[in-house]
Amino acid sequence: MSDKRRAEIEAKRVKLAELRKARADRQKADADRRLSEPAGPSTARRDVDDLVTSLIGGNRGVDSTLDSPVSSVPGTPALGQSALPGPSALSLSGRLSRQSQSDFASDRVSLGTTFVQSANGATDHVIDRVLTPRMVPDLIDVEQELFDFPQKERVIYNKEVQTMDVDDVPAMASEAEIRERVQREREALEAEHAAREKELEEESVELEKEIEQEIREMTEEEKFSIFAAPEFLDFVEQSTKIVQRALNDNYDYIRDYTIGTESGIEDSEGRRLKCVCAFYDERHGKNRSITDVSWSPKYPELSCASYNKNPAALNEPDGIVAVWNLHLLERPEFVFHSQSDVLSVTFSPFHSNLVFGGTYSGQVLLWDTRSKHLPVLKTPLSAAGHTHPIYAMQMVGTQNAHNLITSSTDGTVCSWLVDMLAQPQETLELIHAGHNKTGEVAITTLDFPDNETTTFWVGTEEGNVYQANRYDRAGAKAGLNQYDVYKGHSGPVTGLHFHPLVGPVDFSDLFLTCSVDWTVKLWRAKSLAKPSTAANNIAPLYSFDEADDYVYDVRWHPSHPAIFGVVDGSGRFDVWNLNIDTEVSAVSAAVGSGRALNKVQWDRKDGRRAALGGSDGKLYIYDIGDMAIPRESEWTDLQRSVAGVVGGGVQTNGSGAAEETSRVAAGR
């Protein structure tokens, strides 16, 4: 249910509560009024009667007394007098009916009539006399006709009469009409009130039905259908990732920047190793080991790791690749599946959403972060490609022309187009004639120098390093160089890496190798301009023998020319700086629980972080701090350091020692 719909339902609920409250208040008020009314006519009926009485009684004038005017209207005869014409207002017989004895004074007699009163104030008899028709001047009696003042000056109001203009022209309504009109108005109000009550009641019932329909309880089948919908699962997956990224933000929001401003420089001039995090997921990493790691070329917070088989989980995929995010620690950002152990993995440097993997079965898989768990492309299981485990792969070329180079332990090197993995574009068999039983070379590691797409070097299970060519070139044929053999290790070579082409001095001909013989060796690649025509064993420039266990991987730093990282079987991570010391590592750390570390990879942005793949299934991220920032003199210092180790008696290739020393001093 959307937020808008939920808000509408809440508003309807509030309105329904208000309607119920108003109805309860009205019912309570009616009950209280019925209890408070006394027996007999109702209060409203008495109010109506008083109103009608006041309206009718107020128009009958006031009592005619001596001190009050004759009428509220000038020229109107007083109540109780005969309204006969004539100035004397007498009857022809001269008699007056005694309608009100108290209305006249004892000494006042109407014109033409003589009253004889007794002592007790009663009239004994009336003397009739014949009226002589004559004009009697009305000079003695004061009549209203002579003093006819305006009505507004003669009307006296008491407390019971409202001060309002009275129109004498229309006749006043009778009491029955007023009562009927008031009754009709009252009935109309009651009918309107009842209609309003009915309307509100219907609206309330309709609202209750609508709310009940909206918030009804779903059945189990409906719940299951919603939970199993792919859209719902995708929404939950994506939204929970966003929430977890926000929760994993370790920024200190209450940091006080005024504290510690006078603290000194960190120990060892900033040389330190700090564990940033350790990526591990119980569901995907249990009983698995990490076989290879790689950093994203576009997003510095993303790294991926390949895993081998979990022997205890038969229903899970044999191999997986997990993409981890530094802002999402609890679970991987993406998980890709494989039908075989994944032994090597790399992000495509030209397409940030593509991930390549080499498997134990010899297949090359391509996953897309925009797709699901399964690979979008894969090579067939046929003799056209690899049929042995793929331990090394590398992307070479440019944005518009690049190939994926893979190598397997049967000595086969294949070149693939990214968008066509049905068959390799090129296939190269590396065979050495000097081998006793078989001519093939079991490749364990491979690397291309920077800015080189044709010539590459491979490390083998026999401990030797060979140079090979993808194509025929001047003075050299495609395939393995049969003459130049880099001999120095007494066990299988586990890692090989060329110096990156950065800085003012070119050291790209230097490369490092490591082996299960507990050593790391520094080599110089023989110049391609002078190919050998006879067997030529090339010795290393220097050997680093500090390790106490198998050395599984070695990597030059991407920006600092003298730094490289080493991981071994005891769980140690060593960072060497040749400009500081060539005998011991600059910084060392024991990683995790002490189990072997299989791979090391520096991040591609600035080299501050290193990803370490462990046999315990955890991907460790370490920060080396300011050691990753080189000084301007690092390149010239490395020239002197390499010249020093070469001139210090390290075995070199016979007569070529002086030449090698001069080349190092000149920076190639």
Side-chain angles (χ1 to χ4, degrees):
M1 188 184 298
S2 63
D3 295 340
K4 183 177 180 181
R5 188 58 182 167
R6 190 177 293 107
E8 292 178 357
I9 293 178
E10 292 298 331
K12 291 180 179 179
R13 286 179 175 173
V14 173
K15 184 176 180 181
L16 180 58
E18 292 178 354
L19 294 176
R20 291 175 176 172
K21 183 179 179 182
R23 183 173 58 188
D25 293 342
R26 287 193 300 271
Q27 293 176 354
K28 183 178 179 182
D30 293 341
D32 294 341
R33 187 173 65 254
R34 293 191 189 98
L35 293 176
S36 61
E37 287 180 354
S42 62
T43 305
R45 182 58 179 259
R46 289 198 304 270
D47 295 341
V48 173
D49 294 341
D50 294 341
L51 175 61
V52 173
T53 304
S54 62
L55 292 176
I56 297 177
N59 292 327
R60 294 178 178 177
V62 295
D63 295 338
S64 300
T65 59
L66 294 174
D67 297 330
S68 62
V70 175
S71 175
S72 59
V73 180
T76 303
L79 189 63
Q81 292 182 347
S82 299
L84 295 176
S88 61
L90 295 175
S91 60
L92 296 176
S93 60
R95 298 180 181 271
L96 277 175
S97 63
R98 291 181 289 179
Q99 297 178 358
S100 179
Q101 296 178 0
S102 59
D103 291 340
F104 303 97
S106 58
D107 54 351
R108 175 168 296 187
V109 182
S110 297
L111 183 62
T113 304
T114 302
F115 292 93
V116 179
Q117 294 180 346
S118 61
N120 55 5
T123 305
D124 292 338
H125 57 275
V126 180
I127 301 174
D128 296 332
R129 56 181 179 177
V130 179
L131 294 177
T132 303
R134 63 175 180 176
M135 295 301 295
V136 180
D138 296 332
L139 299 178
I140 298 175
D141 295 334
V142 178
E143 297 293 337
Q144 285 182 337
E145 288 77 9
L146 297 179
F147 305 96
D148 189 8
F149 293 101
Q151 178 183 1
K152 62 181 180 179
E153 296 181 2
R154 296 186 57 84
V155 173
I156 298 177
Y157 296 95
N158 54 23
K159 296 186 297 181
E160 299 176 355
V161 179
Q162 297 182 359
T163 56
M164 58 183 296
D165 294 336
V166 178
D167 189 6
D168 295 330
V169 176
M172 296 301 299
S174 64
E175 180 179 356
E177 293 177 352
I178 294 176
R179 291 180 185 277
E180 184 180 357
R181 183 176 62 187
V182 172
Q183 185 67 22
R184 286 198 304 269
E185 293 178 356
R186 185 176 179 181
E187 291 175 355
L189 290 175
E190 291 179 354
E192 182 180 359
H193 181 69
R196 179 60 179 170
E197 284 287 336
K198 184 177 180 181
E199 181 182 356
L200 294 178
E201 185 69 23
E202 292 177 354
E203 184 177 357
S204 175
V205 172
E206 182 180 357
L207 189 59
E208 287 180 351
K209 291 181 179 179
E210 186 175 355
I211 293 176
E212 182 179 358
Q213 184 178 2
E214 290 290 343
I215 63 175
R216 69 178 181 85
E217 187 71 19
M218 291 189 297
T219 63
E220 293 297 328
E221 295 180 356
E222 291 176 339
K223 292 180 181 178
F224 180 77
S225 63
I226 292 176
F227 293 156
E231 296 81 4
F232 179 79
L233 296 177
D234 293 341
F235 165 75
V236 172
E237 181 76 12
Q238 189 65 24
S239 59
T240 51
K241 282 182 184 179
I242 296 174
V243 173
Q244 286 183 327
R245 288 177 196 165
L247 294 177
N248 287 328
D249 188 3
N250 294 325
Y251 179 74
D252 186 5
Y253 295 96
I254 60 173
R255 176 182 298 174
D256 188 355
Y257 292 98
T258 62
I259 298 177
T261 55
E262 299 178 358
S263 60
I265 303 176
E266 294 184 2
D267 56 331
S268 302
E269 298 180 357
R271 296 199 303 270
R272 61 177 179 83
L273 290 177
K274 178 184 177 182
C275 182
V276 178
C277 61
F279 294 119
Y280 180 73
D281 184 41
E282 182 73 19
R283 175 185 173 188
H284 300 101
K286 186 178 181 180
N287 297 330
R288 298 181 188 265
S289 298
I290 294 180
T291 57
D292 199 6
V293 294
S294 179
W295 286 89
S296 172
K298 183 176 181 180
Y299 304 105
E301 69 272 14
L302 294 184
S303 59
C304 70
S306 58
Y307 297 80
N308 60 5
K309 182 187 301 182
N310 178 8
L314 300 178
N315 296 327
E316 294 183 3
D318 289 347
I320 63 171
V321 172
V323 179
W324 296 95
N325 190 340
L326 289 175
H327 303 295
L328 185 63
L329 305 180
E330 287 80 8
R331 59 175 177 168
E333 189 80 25
F334 305 101
V335 177
F336 304 124
H337 296 169
S338 169
Q339 295 178 350
S340 179
D341 301 25
V342 183
L343 304 180
S344 57
V345 68
T346 182
F347 271 102
S348 172
F350 310 110
H351 305 89
S352 60
N353 56 300
L354 300 182
V355 179
F356 292 93
T359 65
Y360 185 82
S361 63
Q363 280 186 302
V364 178
L365 307 180
L366 171 61
W367 296 280
D368 195 330
T369 58
R370 297 166 295 186
S371 184
K372 299 294 183 181
H373 304 291
L374 299 178
V376 293
L377 288 177
K378 59 183 178 181
T379 61
L381 287 171
S382 65
H386 295 288
T387 56
H388 285 66
I390 301 174
Y391 280 101
M393 62 169 47
Q394 186 173 348
M395 185 78 71
V396 296
T398 62
Q399 174 73 36
N400 298 324
H402 52 271
N403 296 96
L404 178 66
I405 309 299
T406 59
S407 64
S408 57
T409 55
D410 61 348
T412 303
V413 177
C414 295
S415 174
W416 308 86
L417 290 176
V418 173
D419 55 352
M420 189 184 69
L421 297 181
Q423 60 181 5
Q425 188 181 23
E426 305 164 8
T427 302
L428 189 65
E429 296 286 341
L430 300 185
I431 299 176
H432 196 275
H435 288 184
N436 296 328
K437 296 182 179 181
T438 177
E440 64 185 21
V441 176
I443 302 172
T444 56
T445 181
L446 171 147
D447 195 29
F448 283 79
D450 283 357
N451 292 337
E452 182 63 60
T453 60
T454 301
T455 304
F456 58 94
W457 276 253
V458 294
T460 63
E461 290 182 355
E462 65 197 62
N464 294 334
V465 177
Y466 297 98
Q467 176 256 325
N469 298 316
R470 293 174 58 194
Y471 313 109
D472 293 338
R473 57 188 306 171
K477 292 184 178 181
L480 196 70
N481 187 335
Q482 302 289 328
Y483 303 109
D484 294 328
V485 180
Y486 297 81
K487 281 194 174 183
H489 288 295
S490 56
V493 179
T494 55
L496 185 153
H497 190 223
F498 272 85
H499 197 286
L501 185 60
V502 293
V505 182
D506 183 6
F507 292 107
S508 61
D509 60 340
L510 296 178
F511 66 92
L512 291 167
T513 59
C514 60
S515 172
V516 297
D517 62 0
W518 300 11
T519 63
V520 176
K521 298 187 184 298
L522 175 66
W523 309 78
R524 182 183 297 280
K526 190 176 185 302
S527 176
L528 300 178
K530 299 178 181 179
S532 299
T533 57
N536 181 23
N537 292 335
I538 301 175
L541 298 180
Y542 191 74
S543 179
F544 306 92
D545 303 330
E546 190 193 9
D548 296 331
D549 207 323
Y550 296 165
V551 182
Y552 285 114
D553 200 12
V554 60
R555 286 282 165 176
W556 286 105
H557 195 272
S559 58
H560 197 295
I563 288 181
F564 62 89
V566 178
V567 292
D568 59 24
S570 64
R572 286 181 53 193
F573 172 43
D574 297 323
V575 178
W576 292 74
N577 190 335
L578 298 182
N579 290 340
I580 296 177
D581 199 335
T582 57
E583 298 293 334
V584 295
S585 60
V587 181
S588 180
V591 179
S593 59
R595 297 186 61 181
L597 297 176
N598 297 328
K599 288 292 180 179
V600 58
Q601 190 73 254
W602 300 99
D603 74 83
R604 306 190 187 193
K605 183 180 180 182
D606 52 9
R608 291 182 63 94
R609 297 188 180 96
L612 314 175
S615 297
D616 56 357
K618 294 183 179 180
L619 179 63
Y620 300 93
I621 307 296
Y622 270 77
D623 193 326
I624 66 172
D626 295 337
M627 282 194 300
I629 304 175
R631 300 189 302 268
E632 293 183 0
S633 61
E634 297 289 354
W635 282 264
T636 56
D637 292 344
L638 181 60
Q639 282 182 318
R640 289 191 292 268
S641 299
V642 174
V645 298
V646 171
V650 181
Q651 288 184 347
T652 57
N653 185 22
S655 61
E659 179 185 356
E660 296 291 341
T661 304
S662 61
R663 287 177 61 193
V664 170
R668 205 184 175 191

